[in-house]
Amino acid sequence: MSEIASVPGGLNGRDEQLTAAEIGRAARAPRHWRRPAEASALASVAAPLIALFLAGCAPAGRAEPSAPPASASPTSASAVPPADTNTDASGGRLQWRGGPTAILERDGLRLLTDPVLGPRGPAAFVLPRHPSTGVENAPVARYTDPPAEPLGRLDVILLSHNHADHFDAVAKETLPKDVLFVLPPDAVEAARAAGFTKLTPLDWDAETVIPTRSGRLRILAVPANHSHDAALDATLGKGNGYVLRWEGAAPYSVYWTGDAVFTEPMRAVAARFAPIDLWLPHLGAVGVDGARGLRTMDAEEAVAAAALLRARHVIPIHHTTFGHYREPVTAFVQRAGTKSLPAHVHVPTDGAWMSLPR
């Protein structure tokens, strides 16, 4: 089975379905040889690549660009009405809202991952030390605004870890404080200080169970090692990935990695839960060009992990949106094609809704 990349493009917002191999061939072909669908797909992914390359080449200490190229402006959402309490009866849907932030809807529940809600600009947040340059108190640019569509009703907020690029000041100020908040123990103090009241801290291998419309959802915290360097991993703090298992008449499993590199603990998750229906990896190869290496997976690690997980579908997130992401999502699509990854790869459009794949 060949993987499929759902690449935004075409007329009237229609998504073109291209294989990774086709994208690779089109990228190498002269312009007048390319099919219209291939040209449209390449146009939609080229701008983020250029933006990331320019950001990576910037001298240490220099501010990142405050605006993306014109062709990388926010993509309009698909023609799906705003969610309400009666959505997703047929199997659920997902909306990627940039970076690590997504809404998952299934069986009457709406979950929000790692809320980063601030607007586009040269200093969306500040990192204590830039993972590429090593500059202290480094501002990081956001290239696109969050979707204009309101978040709507939320049942659960899921937090992988308490870093500014995963739980920003706007989220702390504006999110409703009485929503069930599942988070690592290390993040409890910050969430409580921001006024959140329904905190459910989960250490690794702990779980919570939430009733759904027709069954229940198990949320299991799993290790998310932020670095291959043990000392740096400890300094960055203990974060979570989550395995989400909807139980009932139509069971479904999702593994959201959080900021994790491919380590033995992730292999253990694969041994325990494979095959996974849907894998949501954090890509971007953060830190790949820095002195201490990866902070999130690059394409090579992600393809190896997807194969071990026997993921049926992959929706890569945590790419394109911010200036500290160093590898475009197309690198993963192309690597998956080279390795003949059997999973279907669906590249999300920022702000658009997509059905949860089966």
Side-chain angles (χ1 to χ4, degrees), residues 58-186:
R62 181 177 173 179
E64 293 173 308
S66 61
S71 58
S73 58
T75 307
S76 60
S78 61
V80 178
D84 61 29
T85 56
N86 296 314
T87 58
D88 70 77
S90 63
R93 63 180 188 165
L94 178 145
Q95 183 193 46
W96 180 51
R97 298 181 68 92
T101 309
I103 295 176
L104 275 165
E105 290 184 359
R106 196 171 193 276
D107 202 14
L109 288 181
R110 301 186 80 235
L111 298 84
L112 175 69
T113 68
D114 277 1
V116 186
L117 309 180
R120 175 174 114 182
F125 47 79
V126 174
L127 296 181
R129 187 180 296 274
H130 198 286
S132 296
T133 65
V135 170
E136 294 184 357
N137 299 317
V140 175
R142 179 167 188 150
Y143 298 131
T144 59
D145 280 313
E149 180 184 331
L151 289 171
R153 175 184 59 83
L154 297 174
D155 298 302
V156 182
I157 299 170
L158 280 176
L159 189 69
S160 64
H161 61 302
N162 181 38
H163 287 176
D165 55 336
H166 291 261
F167 187 26
D168 69 357
V170 175
K172 291 175 180 177
E173 180 180 351
T174 62
L175 285 174
K177 301 301 187 285
D178 58 348
V179 175
L180 178 64
F181 201 143
V182 178
L183 69 175
D186 286 357

Side-chain angles (χ1 to χ4, degrees), residues 75-357:
T75 307
S76 60
S78 61
V80 178
D84 61 29
T85 56
N86 296 314
T87 58
D88 70 77
S90 63
R93 63 180 188 165
L94 178 145
Q95 183 193 46
W96 180 51
R97 298 181 68 92
T101 309
I103 295 176
L104 275 165
E105 290 184 359
R106 196 171 193 276
D107 202 14
L109 288 181
R110 301 186 80 235
L111 298 84
L112 175 69
T113 68
D114 277 1
V116 186
L117 309 180
R120 175 174 114 182
F125 47 79
V126 174
L127 296 181
R129 187 180 296 274
H130 198 286
S132 296
T133 65
V135 170
E136 294 184 357
N137 299 317
V140 175
R142 179 167 188 150
Y143 298 131
T144 59
D145 280 313
E149 180 184 331
L151 289 171
R153 175 184 59 83
L154 297 174
D155 298 302
V156 182
I157 299 170
L158 280 176
L159 189 69
S160 64
H161 61 302
N162 181 38
H163 287 176
D165 55 336
H166 291 261
F167 187 26
D168 69 357
V170 175
K172 291 175 180 177
E173 180 180 351
T174 62
L175 285 174
K177 301 301 187 285
D178 58 348
V179 175
L180 178 64
F181 201 143
V182 178
L183 69 175
D186 286 357
V188 166
E189 182 178 348
R192 185 175 289 126
F196 294 91
T197 59
K198 295 179 66 175
L199 304 180
T200 301
L202 294 182
D203 208 342
W204 292 350
D205 211 33
E207 72 173 22
T208 188
V209 180
I210 304 171
T212 65
R213 182 182 295 144
S214 62
R216 59 185 182 178
L217 170 64
R218 290 186 178 273
I219 302 176
L220 176 75
V222 296
N225 296 108
H226 214 329
S227 172
H228 290 290
D229 182 299
L232 178 59
D233 190 45
T235 299
L236 293 172
K238 190 175 182 180
N240 287 349
Y242 295 95
V243 176
L244 313 175
R245 289 171 291 165
W246 278 265
E247 299 176 343
Y252 194 77
S253 59
V254 176
Y255 173 25
W256 170 46
T257 65
D259 269 8
V261 291
F262 187 33
T263 58
E264 287 304 315
M266 191 178 290
R267 291 177 181 272
V269 172
R272 183 175 176 184
F273 294 106
I276 289 287
D277 290 315
L278 174 61
W279 190 42
L280 297 177
H282 282 198
L283 300 186
V286 174
V288 69
D289 52 351
R292 304 189 76 174
L294 287 172
R295 310 284 181 90
T296 59
M297 285 179 285
D298 61 6
E300 183 175 0
E301 286 199 349
V303 168
L308 199 61
L309 286 159
R310 289 184 285 138
R312 297 185 175 98
H313 299 272
V314 181
I315 299 178
I317 61 175
H318 199 271
H319 55 78
T320 307
T321 311
F322 294 109
H324 63 319
Y325 299 164
R326 286 304 195 248
E327 185 178 79
V329 68
T330 47
F332 173 71
V333 175
Q334 292 166 355
R335 183 74 176 177
T338 299
K339 293 296 183 179
S340 299
L341 184 71
H344 291 279
V345 176
H346 311 266
V347 177
T349 299
D350 193 349
W353 286 97
M354 59 191 299
S355 297
L356 290 180

